[in-house]
Amino acid sequence: MRKKTFYLIGSISFICWTIIICYLFVHKPLGKGFKYKDVTIQVEKLENELQSQLKVNEYLLMHLKALKKQIQETGKDLKRILEENPSALSIQTERKAINTEDTICVLLLACNRVTVARSLEKLIKHRNNDLSFPIIVSQDCNHEQTTNVIKRFGDQITLIQHPDQSDIFLPPREKKFKGYYKIARHYRWALNQTFHSFGCNTAIIVEDDLDIAPDFFEYFRGLYPILKTDPTLWCVSAWNDNGKEGQVANEPTLLYRTDFFSGLGWMLTKETWLELLDKWPRAYWDDWIRHPAQRKDRACIRPEISRTKTFGKIGVSNGLFYEKHLKYIKLNEKFVPFTKLNLTYLLKDNYDVAFLKSVYGSPSVSIQELLSGNIETNVAVRITYKTKDEFKRYAKVLKLMEDFKSGVPRVGYRGVVSFVFQNRRVYLAPIPEWKGYDTSWT
């Protein structure tokens, strides 16, 4: 047994060393085009690959120790144990699974909430033992109680912990925002681990304070081909910012394009991450990602009825929007077989024609007419806004989210916000001659 273990560890070490040598020879930066930034990226990629291999080695050694203990306790030899339990050295199989094309990794970011157990229980329950959705939990903060809670889920998840727990030095007037800097730092590290160390090609990002709908995984699986096919899309979100009870139709199959990045359960590809990696901000990553320089006129897909709902009132944002909006978001309860539906209507060339026809083909009414209910037909109607203040005034009366990010209203597409008011579809829309977003509207 000792001899076999020695050969196995020696083989692993040889493979690691070969990877390092090959990488350095293939990627060495020589010649006039030498750039420090390129070297930094190469070193970081190499570091990620090595960390990944070390993780595999760590797990493999753990399995070997377990096997040794089993041999000592049972008196059986290694061959017999492997015949009885072929998965005894299953770590290679697990790593291979994470690299398959149909795999969508789930990255859950955690810190110091022991209620992360609630999120993990829902993810595991609705995943329904589908190993094509491996769950990676990335924990920041070094909070021991939360770590212990996460570890209770055993091999149903993979736990990684952010190694950089150093303090972040800020001017006195900015110290109260330090949490946003730590979150951005953690996100960058965790996403890098997911796409580089674990080899994921696509990932769904969630946080430790989200409940999910029964069709959460079906939703993302069904929209995955659309995201990969349409270059005018860059994410899929499970969240409707205006998805409160009474503001959505009871039609869980309804999906939309939106220019607004919502987050709160969202999917992106490795290609998109590589775009963002080098310029990732020190803080406020979600506002930064909404800027035109990142969005590049691309849209996301979002549902009529949200597939996530937050229960995290207390956090870095101190419950901003929670009491007024977030706790009233409706969570979908009906399973929709998205993978069996034809969703090509969401492709830009198909969607824009039908959407604009629906919006600007609907009758225009005033806010007073809508509020009074004195509209004879039950058809969808349109309310026109021309200025930022006009939009905010209407949104406040209609109990919609009022803010803009880089000029884009929440859930807006081509400036249009679609919602339900008194069981009627309403479009809060700019003039038909709309020329694009004004980034000063913020």
Side-chain angles (χ1 to χ4, degrees), residues 197-437:
S197 295
F198 288 94
C200 302
N201 292 316
T202 309
I204 301 168
I205 296 90
V206 294
E207 295 187 7
D208 56 358
D209 61 348
L210 290 181
D211 285 331
I212 64 170
D215 61 352
F216 175 85
F217 291 103
E218 177 74 3
Y219 171 77
F220 283 109
R221 174 66 73 197
L223 286 165
Y224 171 77
I226 302 296
L227 178 63
K228 295 288 284 186
T229 300
D230 190 344
T232 69
L233 292 172
W234 73 322
C235 83
V236 175
S237 174
W239 180 259
N240 176 358
D241 280 283
N242 287 320
K244 292 186 286 189
E245 187 78 49
Q247 291 184 333
V248 292
N250 189 26
E251 299 180 51
T253 58
L254 280 181
L255 305 175
Y256 300 86
R257 292 174 69 99
T258 176
D259 297 319
F260 189 85
F261 172 80
S262 298
L264 291 177
W266 54 290
M267 179 167 70
L268 85 162
T269 63
K270 183 175 183 178
E271 290 78 14
T272 302
W273 170 243
L274 292 176
E275 274 185 42
L276 304 173
L277 170 61
D278 291 340
K279 51 181 180 176
W280 192 256
R282 292 186 64 218
Y284 312 110
W285 71 268
D286 47 349
D287 283 344
W288 170 85
I289 211 171
R290 293 166 179 144
H291 194 273
Q294 280 64 253
R295 189 169 69 83
K296 297 179 180 177
D297 291 324
R298 293 173 293 188
C300 296
I301 301 297
R302 61 97 175 169
E304 172 79 0
I305 306 177
S306 292
R307 265 56 187 189
T308 57
K309 182 173 182 176
T310 179
F311 57 83
K313 179 180 178 180
I314 305 301
V316 173
S317 64
N318 295 316
L320 185 66
F321 298 133
Y322 186 84
E323 288 297 332
K324 190 175 180 181
H325 288 282
L326 302 182
K327 76 175 184 180
Y328 300 108
I329 295 294
K330 180 178 180 179
L331 182 66
N332 180 58
E333 297 177 350
K334 182 180 178 182
F335 187 91
V336 176
F338 284 108
T339 56
K340 295 179 173 61
L341 301 181
N342 183 355
L343 303 177
T344 55
Y345 70 90
L346 292 165
L347 298 173
K348 183 176 176 62
D349 291 343
N350 300 332
Y351 187 88
D352 283 9
V353 174
F355 180 73
L356 293 175
K357 183 178 179 180
S358 296
V359 174
Y360 293 103
S362 61
S364 178
V365 301
S366 68
I367 188 74
Q368 291 79 15
E369 287 174 313
L370 180 67
L371 295 174
S372 67
N374 295 328
I375 302 173
E376 294 181 2
T377 65
N378 292 322
V379 297
V381 297
R382 170 170 46 96
I383 296 176
T384 302
Y385 69 90
K386 297 178 181 177
T387 66
K388 178 181 72 170
D389 290 339
E390 200 171 26
F391 177 94
K392 290 172 74 68
R393 187 166 65 250
Y394 293 161
K396 186 173 183 178
V397 170
L398 296 166
K399 296 182 170 54
L400 303 173
M401 297 288 274
E402 306 164 28
D403 57 330
F404 292 82
K405 301 292 183 180
S406 293
V408 184
R410 291 182 185 264
V411 311
Y413 186 67
R414 296 180 61 90
V416 179
V417 172
S418 174
F419 63 99
V420 169
F421 182 80
Q422 295 180 355
N423 298 315
R424 180 193 302 276
R425 175 64 56 188
V426 180
Y427 301 110
L428 184 54
I431 59 175
E433 298 79 21
W434 182 78
K435 299 299 183 183
Y437 295 108

Side-chain angles (χ1 to χ4, degrees), residues 123-153:
L123 285 169
I124 291 167
K125 174 185 176 182
H126 295 310
R127 182 176 66 167
N128 196 25
N129 295 321
D130 186 349
L131 296 180
S132 64
F133 290 102
I135 299 171
I136 303 164
V137 181
S138 180
Q139 187 195 2
D140 203 359
C141 310
N142 278 353
H143 188 252
E144 187 176 356
Q145 286 178 289
T146 303
T147 304
N148 293 336
V149 167
I150 296 169
K151 285 182 175 179
R152 289 210 308 261
F153 290 87

Side-chain angles (χ1 to χ4, degrees), residues 62-79:
M62 181 180 69
H63 281 282
L64 287 171
K65 288 178 181 178
L67 280 172
K68 181 179 179 181
K69 184 177 179 182
Q70 192 173 351
I71 290 169
Q72 291 172 341
E73 292 177 352
T74 64
K76 299 176 183 178
D77 61 20
L78 179 62
K79 182 178 179 181

